[in-house]
Amino acid sequence: MKRIYQILSVVLLSFCALNAAAAEKEQKTEPKNNFKLYGFIRNYFAFDSRESVSGTGDLFYYLPKDVKMNEAGTEDLNATSSFRFLALTSRLGVDVSGYSINNVHFGAKIEGDFYAGLSNSSNTNAGVYFPGNAKISGTATARLRQAFATITWKELGKEQQNSVGLKIGQAWHPMAADHPHLFSLEVGAPFGPFSRTPLAQMDANLGEHWVLSAAAIWQMQYQSTGPIGGSALYMKYGKTPEMYAALAYKSKGFLLRAGVDMVSIKPRVLGQLDGNTVKVSDRKTSVLGYVFTQYSYKKFAVKAKTVFGQGGEHMNLMSGYAKMIGENSDGSWNYASLRNSSSWLSMSYGKKWQGVLFLGYVKNLGLAEAASAPLAKADVYFCGNGFSNINQMYRINPQIIYNIGKLNVGLEYQLTNVQYGEYDGGKLNEYGLATKNLHWVCNHRVNMMVKYNF
């Protein structure tokens, strides 16, 4: 019996040793996550010739404000210049890669910077002494830019040229991911979409040249507008994610992509009917389409994008929608989207010394069909960074950038010209446009950037 126990003990110990060796071998061969830290310290120095709409410490530029005459009608109070410099757009991020199981590869990204650098408290007397936003005190507030995970199935199909990638988390809106060659913070907005947002996105590489993309998108920082202003509540109670689809063709230095985006929201859940608060069936749906192309050859590169369709204010486009005149028998309201055409062209040449030229144009096309009567200003829900009396606008933006290894120094001149119309008795016309007394308002911005990358 003792002999049997000895034999069993030897077998058991041998089995444990083999398992330990196998586990050690598996541990050695299992792929590990690779972490890449990146970021930059960035300072902007910006001068504006006119009071303007701008965000993130006035560094993210939108457009100049309309004429605002004083009580005597002798001075335009918005014709006031200003200057600022801040480092709050400095950034830190981590890319995670290297982990895979067979042909399935996993990755992630988390990225943050600072936001506004301003306190939410404002001096109540500021409007007496200054024409613009007096919220310029406080410290930078950390914010999340991107945080997503990726799953990629590689080498699919007979020729193993196909792959499917899935991205889930906070990332660039797929309509806003194509940026012009600009170092300024707004990178072409509002002449093109700008948004980072929660999403689930699929990109399928179909062979060497074609890419099919689709996404379900939610709203967080960049939101639709409506009766209570900009809010994510319209999508929350609409219970319908924003839907996106696109097809791209790529070959060497050339890329062409076309896509469509649909948003369906509920501007209200509760309304009034015969003096009672009731649930209402309000809903507004809008569709945007776009085309983007780029080409590069040696030191030269060119990009262009055009967006046309309805709404898009949640991506910082100069558009929105209107509450139509009249009320339905159940207390609900009807809505119609404003149409918008936004386009930009960007050209770049050089490496160490880089010259850039950006051209942008926006046209507010109003409603597709006329309302039964002029629309009240309060019933037109427009992008919160613009004004519903905008008729059209353009921007000319040349830049020069000097790249010294990890250091970039840039200087730009930015001319933004907006054509405004007057509200007629507090109203827009039947198409939701201000066409009375059309006039141009211009801002000259001189912006310098100093950036160190790591």
Side-chain angles (χ1 to χ4, degrees):
M1 182 66 68
K2 183 178 180 180
R3 182 67 174 172
I4 294 174
Y5 283 136
Q6 289 176 343
I7 294 172
L8 289 175
S9 298
V10 171
V11 171
L12 182 60
L13 289 172
S14 301
F15 180 74
C16 291
L18 288 171
N19 276 335
E24 185 179 357
K25 182 178 179 181
E26 182 179 353
Q27 187 177 10
K28 288 181 179 179
T29 58
E30 182 181 354
K32 301 293 184 181
N33 285 323
N34 297 319
F35 298 91
K36 180 183 178 182
L37 181 69
Y38 69 91
F40 51 76
I41 308 298
R42 181 169 61 184
N43 281 267
Y44 284 114
F45 303 77
F47 166 84
D48 288 309
S49 66
R50 183 178 183 82
E51 195 64 31
S52 299
V53 180
S54 52
T56 315
D58 289 340
L59 300 178
F60 193 113
Y61 190 82
Y62 288 100
L63 48 85
K65 291 183 178 179
D66 198 1
V67 174
K68 181 182 179 182
M69 301 304 295
N70 64 1
E71 294 82 351
T74 57
E75 286 188 293
D76 177 6
L77 301 180
N78 281 335
T80 305
S81 60
S82 61
F83 176 77
R84 83 286 298 155
F85 64 89
L86 296 167
L88 60 86
T89 64
S90 299
R91 187 176 305 166
L92 184 64
V94 178
D95 282 327
V96 185
S97 62
Y99 185 79
S100 63
I101 300 175
N102 297 325
N103 68 332
V104 184
H105 299 253
F106 302 88
K109 176 191 286 287
I110 185 165
E111 179 184 88
D113 67 352
F114 302 95
Y115 185 64
L118 316 174
S119 63
N120 289 325
S121 61
S122 61
N123 191 318
T124 55
N125 294 322
V128 177
Y129 303 107
F130 299 96
N133 186 351
K135 300 177 183 179
I136 57 172
S137 62
T139 187
T141 302
R143 66 165 176 176
L144 180 72
R145 279 175 56 90
Q146 299 190 81
F148 59 82
T150 61
I151 306 172
T152 305
W153 291 265
K154 294 185 177 181
E155 300 177 352
L156 302 178
K158 293 181 179 180
E159 299 180 0
Q160 297 186 336
Q161 291 184 336
N162 301 334
S163 65
V164 176
L166 184 64
K167 179 193 297 181
I168 301 176
Q170 166 88 359
W172 280 103
H173 192 296
M175 281 190 71
D178 304 308
H179 297 153
H181 309 91
L182 292 175
F183 68 73
S184 45
L185 189 60
E186 69 277 1
V187 287
F191 299 89
F194 187 100
S195 172
R196 289 180 303 275
T197 191
L199 55 76
Q201 180 176 339
M202 181 275 298
D203 295 300
N205 288 280
L206 309 177
E208 182 181 357
H209 300 292
W210 296 94
V211 181
L212 178 65
S213 301
I217 303 166
W218 210 248
Q219 291 184 7
M220 190 176 72
Q221 178 183 355
Y222 303 97
Q223 306 159 344
S224 297
T225 189
I228 62 170
S231 176
L233 291 175
Y234 310 123
M235 180 164 281
K236 173 184 176 180
Y237 288 100
K239 303 185 289 287
T240 304
E242 181 179 348
M243 304 304 295
Y244 166 88
L247 181 64
Y249 175 82
K250 55 183 181 178
S251 179
K252 296 181 180 179
F254 175 76
L255 171 67
L256 177 65
R257 181 187 297 113
V260 63
D261 184 84
M262 185 189 76
V263 180
S264 186
I265 59 174
K266 284 183 70 68
R268 296 187 311 158
V269 173
L270 303 177
Q272 293 292 316
L273 183 63
D274 299 329
N276 297 314
T277 300
V278 296
K279 295 180 181 179
V280 293
S281 58
D282 292 30
R283 182 167 288 275
K284 193 276 298 185
T285 301
S286 59
V287 179
L288 275 171
Y290 82 101
V291 176
F292 169 78
T293 187
Q294 67 177 30
Y295 176 74
S296 60
Y297 179 74
K298 295 183 179 179
K299 295 182 180 181
F300 174 76
V302 60
K303 299 180 181 180
K305 176 182 280 188
T306 184
V307 181
F308 175 82
Q310 305 166 334
E313 75 281 356
H314 65 296
M315 291 186 282
N316 285 291
L317 296 178
M318 292 293 107
S319 191
Y321 61 99
K323 170 198 168 186
M324 303 306 287
I325 297 168
E327 186 175 86
N328 298 324
S329 59
D330 61 353
S332 63
W333 296 347
N334 296 316
Y335 305 90
S337 293
L338 298 171
R339 297 170 302 145
N340 169 275
S341 175
S342 303
S343 303
W344 57 259
L345 171 69
S346 169
M347 294 176 286
S348 171
Y349 182 81
K351 296 295 182 182
K352 186 173 183 179
W353 284 97
Q354 183 181 5
V356 173
L357 177 62
F358 173 87
L359 304 173
Y361 179 75
V362 167
K363 176 65 176 176
N364 182 5
L365 299 170
L367 304 176
E369 296 183 5
S372 57
L375 298 172
K377 176 183 175 182
D379 291 335
V380 177
Y381 309 123
F382 206 77
C383 174
N385 295 309
F387 306 95
S388 57
N389 62 325
I390 291 174
N391 187 280
Q392 58 184 323
M393 60 184 291
Y394 67 84
R395 178 174 296 169
I396 301 173
N397 187 357
Q399 295 184 349
I400 184 73
I401 307 167
Y402 183 44
N403 302 302
I404 317 169
K406 294 182 178 296
L407 183 69
N408 313 122
V409 180
L411 181 67
E412 74 167 348
Y413 164 68
Q414 186 184 101
L415 182 149
T416 305
N417 211 0
V418 180
Q419 186 185 49
Y420 288 100
E422 286 186 4
Y423 297 102
D424 191 359
K427 293 186 178 182
L428 300 163
N429 69 11
E430 292 85 350
Y431 290 93
L433 296 171
T435 56
K436 182 181 178 182
N437 189 24
L438 293 176
H439 56 282
W440 289 93
V441 175
C442 180
N443 179 65
H444 304 273
R445 166 169 278 214
V446 179
N447 188 25
M448 186 179 78
M449 177 201 69
V450 179
K451 175 183 176 186
Y452 179 77
N453 304 279
F454 59 85

